[in-house]
Amino acid sequence: MASNDVVIDTSDFAAKLKAAAPVVSAEDMEFKPTFEALSAQKMNGNKVELRRVPVPQHRFTPLKENWMAIYKPITDMLKLDMRMNLKTKKVEIKTTKDTPDVGSLQKAADFVQAFILGFDTSDAVALLRLDDLFLESFEIKDVKTLRGEHLSRCIGRLSGKQGKTKFTIENSTRTRVVLADTRIHILGSFNNIKIARNAICSLILGSPPGKVYTKLRTISSRLAESY
């Protein structure tokens, strides 16, 4: 052996290492720490999120009359702040420290937007309670270009006598439909919106209402069986 070699005795090294290691019991291994759920504001880095929904002039009076019916669900259920900005003519919704869910702000904006488009508050409030409801809007000219009396007759055909055709489409497809001049708004689930849109497009393209009713009866019976 060379004079400068170092000799290390490892005979009791493992015993010393085992003695120095902390003793972990079975109870300690089963213990799981509990953390409080983060609020929407904390998840966003304590930043306040804001949504603005523009209000057209002709919807000011209905909004004023139904303000409390819109305000209470948003503030009580979703824990959001809401106000009407008269200068910009927009409804402003923002998160608070008590807002439980990140998606609540978008739900509230969709709810207000649905009312602005013409849906009743009793129908639009379903957007706050259910996750699989959507809004879809399109114009008659997106389906077929019509002008003058042809356009007027098309709108009348979509509504039907005393709204019969519109109600039939709504009840058969479990949706809500708003006819606002040449724009059409549909509120419902994804598949039901598709069925209602196809029926409306058939009427726009000139299909007789009786033929559309027959298709809707078949579809509604299938929906009833699926439920």
Side-chain angles (χ1 to χ4, degrees):
M1 183 182 293
S3 60
N4 57 351
D5 288 345
V6 179
V7 179
I8 299 174
D9 184 13
T10 59
S11 58
D12 61 339
F13 181 74
K16 289 180 180 179
L17 184 64
K18 186 176 181 181
V23 178
V24 181
S25 64
E27 292 180 359
D28 293 334
M29 294 180 68
E30 291 178 359
F31 173 76
K32 293 181 181 179
T34 56
F35 300 100
E36 292 183 1
L38 290 176
S39 64
Q41 195 169 356
K42 287 182 180 178
M43 290 178 69
N44 198 35
N46 287 327
K47 293 179 181 177
V48 176
E49 288 194 27
L50 183 69
R51 293 283 189 281
R52 293 185 176 92
V53 182
V55 182
Q57 189 66 38
H58 70 281
R59 294 299 293 173
F60 263 94
T61 302
L63 181 64
K64 185 178 179 181
E65 292 174 352
N66 295 274
W67 179 256
M68 291 309 296
I70 298 169
Y71 180 83
K72 282 187 176 181
I74 290 176
T75 54
D76 294 346
M77 290 172 55
L78 304 181
K79 308 297 182 185
L80 298 168
D81 276 345
M82 174 179 165
R83 71 169 186 173
M84 178 66 198
N85 192 326
L86 295 174
K87 289 184 178 180
T88 59
K89 296 181 180 179
K90 293 179 181 179
V91 175
E92 297 180 350
I93 309 166
K94 69 175 183 177
T95 56
T96 65
K97 61 179 182 179
D98 299 322
T99 305
D101 187 15
V102 182
S104 298
L105 188 62
Q106 188 58 48
K107 279 186 178 182
D110 290 341
F111 169 49
V112 176
Q113 182 64 36
F115 178 80
I116 297 300
L117 292 176
F119 293 96
D120 292 335
T121 51
S122 56
D123 296 329
V125 78
L127 286 164
L128 303 181
R129 298 194 176 103
L130 302 173
D131 292 331
D132 60 342
L133 289 185
F134 305 95
L135 278 170
E136 181 166 333
S137 301
F138 63 96
E139 293 194 38
I140 291 175
K141 67 180 182 181
D142 296 336
V143 183
K144 188 177 182 181
T145 304
L146 297 170
R147 295 184 181 87
E149 292 182 359
H150 297 288
L151 181 59
S152 302
R153 280 197 294 270
C154 177
I155 295 171
R157 197 161 57 246
L158 292 176
S159 177
K161 187 178 181 181
Q162 297 180 348
K164 178 186 174 183
T165 304
K166 184 175 87 75
F167 293 145
T168 302
I169 293 172
E170 288 180 340
N171 295 332
S172 300
T173 60
R174 295 186 174 91
T175 58
R176 286 293 176 265
V177 179
V178 168
L179 303 176
D181 197 19
T182 60
R183 291 189 66 82
I184 299 159
H185 312 292
I186 308 173
L187 170 66
S189 65
F190 179 79
N191 290 330
N192 292 349
I193 286 176
K194 182 180 178 181
I195 297 167
R197 186 180 64 236
N198 290 341
I200 291 169
C201 290
S202 297
L203 290 169
I204 293 172
L205 293 171
S207 295
K211 190 176 181 181
V212 176
Y213 290 162
T214 306
K215 286 184 179 179
L216 286 175
R217 268 196 296 270
T218 307
I219 291 168
S220 62
S221 63
R222 288 177 185 170
L223 287 174
E225 289 174 3
S226 64
Y227 281 100

